[in-house]
Amino acid sequence: MGGREQIYIQQAFNTNWIAPIGANVDGFEKDIMNYTGVKSATALSSGTAAIHLALIMLGVKSDDEVLCSSFTFSASANPIVYQGAVPVFVDSELDTWNMCPILLEKAIKDRISRGVKPKAIILVHIYGMPAKMDEILAISSKFEIPIIEDAAEAFGATFKGNALGTLGEIGVYSFNGNKIITTSGGGALVSNEKTYCDKALFLATQAADKAAHYQHSEIGYNYRMSNILAGIGRGQMEVLDNRIAARRANFEFYKKNLVSENIEFLQEPEGYFSNRWLTCIVTKSLNQRENIRLKLKKENIEARPLWKPMHKQPIFKDYPNFVNGISENLFEKGLCLPSGSNLTKDDLNRVVSAIKS
Ligand SMILES: *Cc1c(COP(=O)(O)O)cnc(C)c1O
């Protein structure tokens, strides 16, 4: 925590706004807008809820198809299935590990040739690294398929100076406990089209029509963020730049001390600014990766393989996919190193020596 979170929480208690409404919710949304430059924001209970509402607002219904990055956490794809729709997974490219524009276009053409035009693209910025936005935005507008930017891991990252989450139709942030800043659990849906955020607010608060009594013309959800948790968010916004600097420093330290012909790091292409949420290494083989992981484990240092691609997950393996082997290769050889914002030089040195040994 940054230290000032409890001041905002205390304000909620002092004013008795212990509810999913209040000054902290409004203040946190303003903070998100100011930081990212996006025109509107709706604070929600999770990033998953934000993706779900984004799909609903883009009209995704039963049997519709939605393109989705395969190299991601399952929460990117689960809401597609909540809607009864079909995820179509698209593999990564090597420069950013995100959705490959060539495969994306191939997937769109293939689905259209089968008579189903995908309704949306869920584009993930994995580990905080921006996807190839120029190419992907061009494909999105050429085929008129809107983008939901899953920037759950990429809050504070930018592409050519613009905040991730603000470049597609709708953007999604997560403030879960493991993300770069946290409200314990929480998320936000953002857009430069205010109507999306207004509609998300309506849907997230049980879709109550404007009337004195309780009247409902649409199915609603209970997805709003608590005013207490938004207080944590306001405190966290004050240290976001700090956290990004700490994560980027972790990355630089590991890279300086470990980069070799056996261990590779993901570079930032020109104009891409990653928040370096997690520092990842890519080894030469599954065997080498496991040797490192198990050695770290022995030293009581937690390190996990990179995301297992969605098209390889038991629950998603039978859905259509467009793959090139890149995410499978990353899953096999990659390892996320300890990346917390509070790691000390001693901690970092301990990880580096364990890996070197
Ligand atoms: C964490 C995460 C989510 C889900 O966010 P929650 O707030 O935990 O629901 C979605 N997508 C990605 C890529 C994530 O890492």
Side-chain angles (χ1 to χ4, degrees):
M1 291 291 101
R4 284 177 38 85
E5 291 83 359
Q6 284 184 317
I7 294 170
Y8 293 105
I9 294 174
Q10 193 59 50
Q11 282 170 13
F13 276 76
N14 292 346
T15 55
N16 209 27
W17 284 99
I18 313 300
I21 184 169
N24 282 335
V25 176
D26 297 344
F28 186 38
E29 288 174 345
K30 280 218 181 75
D31 290 345
I32 294 169
M33 289 186 263
N34 286 339
Y35 192 90
T36 62
V38 78
K39 293 211 175 89
S40 55
T42 301
L44 297 170
S45 54
S46 70
T48 310
I51 296 171
H52 191 197
L53 294 183
L55 291 170
I56 293 167
M57 293 192 294
L58 294 175
V60 173
K61 294 192 180 70
S62 192
D63 299 330
D64 283 339
E65 293 194 353
V66 176
L67 297 150
C68 183
S69 302
S70 188
F71 190 54
T72 187
F73 177 51
S74 63
S76 304
N78 283 334
I80 302 170
V81 182
Y82 301 166
Q83 285 305 97
V86 177
V88 177
F89 295 109
V90 181
D91 213 331
S92 301
E93 36 77 14
L94 281 171
D95 298 334
T96 75
W97 298 354
N98 290 304
M99 188 183 276
C100 170
I102 297 163
L103 273 187
L104 173 64
E105 180 150 6
K106 192 175 153 200
I108 293 171
K109 285 181 174 159
D110 175 86
R111 301 325 283 174
I112 290 174
S113 77
R114 290 163 193 265
V116 263
K117 183 176 159 185
K119 274 272 176 72
I121 301 165
I122 298 181
L123 173 67
V124 182
H125 302 292
I126 208 72
Y127 300 119
M129 178 63 77
K132 292 198 167 174
M133 291 313 300
D134 286 337
E135 291 86 341
I136 289 171
L137 286 168
I139 294 167
S140 161
S141 57
K142 178 172 162 193
F143 293 95
E144 298 182 320
I145 303 175
I147 292 176
I148 299 168
E149 269 185 279
D150 179 350
E153 300 175 4
F155 195 49
T158 60
F159 175 79
K160 297 187 175 172
N162 297 304
L164 300 187
T166 69
L167 301 163
E169 202 84 358
I170 297 173
V172 169
Y173 300 126
S174 167
F175 308 108
N176 196 51
N178 59 341
K179 299 306 199 282
I180 191 152
I181 62 164
T182 181
T183 59
S184 74
L189 183 148
V190 300
S191 182
N192 287 316
E193 295 291 338
K194 190 169 176 296
T195 48
Y196 282 128
C197 288
D198 292 346
K199 184 76 194 256
L201 173 60
F202 168 78
L203 292 170
T205 51
Q206 308 286 20
D209 293 342
K210 283 203 169 64
H213 57 278
Y214 286 100
Q215 174 160 310
H216 305 273
S217 314
E218 277 184 71
I219 292 292
Y221 300 84
N222 185 1
Y223 278 174
R224 192 66 162 136
M225 178 179 277
S226 150
N227 194 49
I228 308 289
L229 302 187
I232 304 177
R234 290 177 83 181
Q236 288 275 283
M237 286 302 294
E238 297 176 8
V239 295
L240 174 57
D241 283 337
N242 239 298
R243 298 292 183 263
I244 295 171
R247 302 265 172 161
R248 288 178 61 88
N250 288 342
F251 176 89
E252 291 305 329
F253 185 89
Y254 283 131
K255 191 177 132 199
K256 192 175 107 210
N257 289 284
L258 290 171
V259 75
S260 68
E261 61 189 40
N262 289 320
I263 297 184
E264 287 174 41
F265 289 78
L266 182 62
Q267 301 300 309
E268 268 169 338
E270 184 73 33
Y272 290 59
F273 180 84
S274 170
N275 66 11
R276 296 292 188 191
W277 175 54
L278 299 186
T279 293
C280 307
I281 56 171
V282 182
T283 66
K284 283 291 171 218
S285 66
L286 174 61
N287 199 31
Q288 190 197 28
R289 197 281 307 280
E290 279 302 274
N291 284 342
I292 294 174
R293 188 180 70 80
L294 295 170
K295 167 70 180 172
L296 290 172
K297 194 174 170 202
K298 235 185 177 160
E299 309 248 339
N300 200 23
I301 298 168
E302 187 187 20
R304 288 192 211 169
L306 305 194
W307 297 121
K308 179 171 182 172
M310 292 305 110
H311 70 271
K312 299 295 279 184
Q313 295 286 354
I315 192 72
F316 292 128
K317 66 179 172 27
D318 296 328
Y319 288 109
N321 61 59
F322 292 80
V323 298
N324 54 19
I326 290 176
S327 63
E328 282 174 52
N329 189 54
L330 290 169
F331 172 59
E332 202 175 284
K333 299 176 185 156
L335 193 65
C336 300
L337 299 183
S339 300
S341 310
N342 57 353
L343 289 173
T344 63
K345 267 275 139 65
D346 282 352
D347 294 332
L348 290 163
N349 273 316
R350 198 156 77 81
V351 178
V352 165
S353 2
I355 293 173
K356 281 189 167 160
S357 78

